[in-house]
Amino acid sequence: MVFSCVISAVVIAVLLLSFSSTQRIFERNIEQDTRDIYRYFDAEIKSQSSLQSLLINAIAMRPDIQNAFETKTHNFAGLIDDFYLSANQSHNITHLYFHGLDKVVIYRAHGPTRNGDVINRYTLADAMRFNRTTSGLELGKYGVFTLRTVAPVFSNGSVVGYIEAGMEIGHVIKKTQSQFDVEIIDVFQTQRLVNTTSETIFSLTERHSDGNQVENYTLQYSTPAVLDSVDLSEIPYLLSHDNTDSVIGLVSGNRAFSSRPLYDYHGDFIAKQIIVRDITEKLATRRTDILLILCSILLAAAVGFWVFNHVLLHLEALFAAYLEKQSKQRQIIENNMKSLQSAQESLVQQEKLASLGNIVAGVAHEINTPLGISVMMGSTMQQSVTSFIQQLKSGQLRRSDVEAFETDTQEAFNVLLPALDRAAGLIQSFKGVAVNQASENRAKFDLEEVITSVLDTLKHTIKNKPIEYTLEITEQISLDSYPGPLGQVITNLFENSVIHGFKDDQNGLIEISAAMTSDHNHVEIKVKDNGVGMTQEALEKAFDPFFTTRFGQGGSGLGLNIIFNIVERVLGGKVRAKSELNKGSQFIINIPLVAPGEVEHV
Ligand SMILES: Nc1ncnc2c1ncn2[C@@H]1O[C@H](COP(=O)(O)OP(=O)(O)OP(=O)(O)O)[C@@H](O)[C@H]1O
Ligand SMILES: [Mg+2]
């Protein structure tokens, strides 16, 4: 659907483009032809004008002519008639006048032979004014264009008269018409005709007394038949706007009209020269061209459509194959993912089992030691008690025996009880991993008070060591939270610093501080030591359960994990650690002033 729309749009666009370009070529063609016609006409007029100049100057140079003027014998008829005859027949010269210095016609070499008239035309006037040969196209009284050339005649350095040659340009018009097969119509302002002082000239072209008026214009055509075929309503259009506008190749029906202004010798607008051309043939050629273009476009569109369709089908097949391949690949990837996932799950499971194994082994190892001691002490005491009772029953019990029994029993208990204590302690910390919120008491308390009392209970752990601690809480901070678990967190962190941070009785400082955060909803508690610090690897694993660097030396690796659980799950906060080897460790705890869960109302 979309495809057919696109194809139709493209075909229509190409059609419009081709049509407009055909039209442009056609119009340019007509324009070019028109310009050629005008150019041809102008060149002809120019060559006729040069011819006239040559002819009359040749006469003006003749001594007999100069003499006739000089001596005022004026016998021009005898001197010139033969020349006029040949100029008239061979060169279309229609008249040859001889003027005196006073503009009076001395001799006319063609009819009417009336002499003695005063001639008042531009060409003559200007030839007199500037004393040189002057040519010009002038409009006669009846609307006939006459090309005139006037040359002064000199004798002994001064002007003695003027010779004028004239030619009606009908033959130039006719030549142009036949050369280009066009009609030429001249349109004059009627006013201009009335005002002219030109003498009566008869025209080589036809004039009509009826139907030759269009408003204030007079028409003159070369062929009367043109009048019947030309729509005169076109003429005012060609004259409209401004009289000096040129219209080149206006097409109306099967004719093309062109019009241009004509100027007289003085550059004054005198007429419009209209060319009417029958373009029936050109129109037919254009129609054939358009038809041809149309057919070729349709053919090209059909071929294009077929090819496109073919390509589309091929592409569709390719795409379907691609989709199938892709779905197969996706299936393979999904299967791989599944097997990867199950492999991962089984790995995790194995890992869990492995760490559980480690835990069990560690815990067993830890508990095994005190329990082993206890069992050994128990059996030692059993033997000791049995032999004591036998001695008692046999009546051989001496005082020294009783004293020895007392000492042994005391020593045995001294070993047995701490060992059992140790085992019980291990079991306790193992239970701490699963600490839960419900089992703890929530309360409103002062942070400094709680931390101070916790630190008091820890003092004895550093009694014989060069370790000091400081507590800095700048403002009073009240919490609605769980003081017990919070104390446990502080205790574990403090013990860790003492046990892991400071080895070999090195001097140490533990700095504990607390401050409210900027939102006044949380408190940040820091426990910092300047001990040995941790490696990057240890820092990353520090909060993992059972991670310890003191495996087999009393460390269970549960301390930080318990802290993590208490801070995140019970106190509703976050804990993070920073540590640098040989510089110390720092634990930062951020907890809300009001712990999550039910608020303490008491
Ligand atoms: N302040 C500290 N300085 C240096 N290392 C520390 C510090 N605190 C913790 N660690 C390291 O983190 C490990 C884990 O600590 P955690 O408290 O979880 O276990 P533990 O102290 O080894 O054993 P437990 O606390 O169960 O007795 C420690 O073994 C130690 O390597
Ligand atoms: Mg610890």
Side-chain angles (χ1 to χ4, degrees), residues 424-493:
L426 279 172
I427 301 267
Q428 196 57 41
S429 54
F430 196 46
K431 270 172 70 186
V433 183
V435 67
N436 83 59
Q437 188 176 330
S439 65
E440 305 300 334
N441 288 328
R442 185 178 182 129
K444 282 186 175 165
F445 59 92
D446 180 76
L447 184 68
E448 190 167 3
E449 266 175 34
V450 167
I451 296 182
T452 308
S453 72
V454 168
L455 291 174
D456 281 345
T457 65
L458 291 168
K459 271 181 190 156
H460 72 278
T461 58
I462 52 169
K463 207 162 79 186
N464 299 318
K465 296 180 178 169
I467 298 171
E468 283 180 7
Y469 72 83
T470 59
L471 172 65
E472 189 185 328
I473 300 179
T474 45
E475 57 191 315
Q476 206 250 330
I477 302 170
S478 299
L479 281 97
D480 177 355
S481 191
Y482 300 91
L486 180 61
Q488 199 180 340
V489 169
I490 305 291
T491 305
N492 280 2
L493 290 176

Side-chain angles (χ1 to χ4, degrees), residues 492-493 495-497 499-500 548 555-560 563:
N492 280 2
L493 290 176
E495 282 180 344
N496 273 355
S497 290
I499 295 165
H500 305 293
T548 178
S556 71
L558 290 170
L560 282 178
I563 288 172

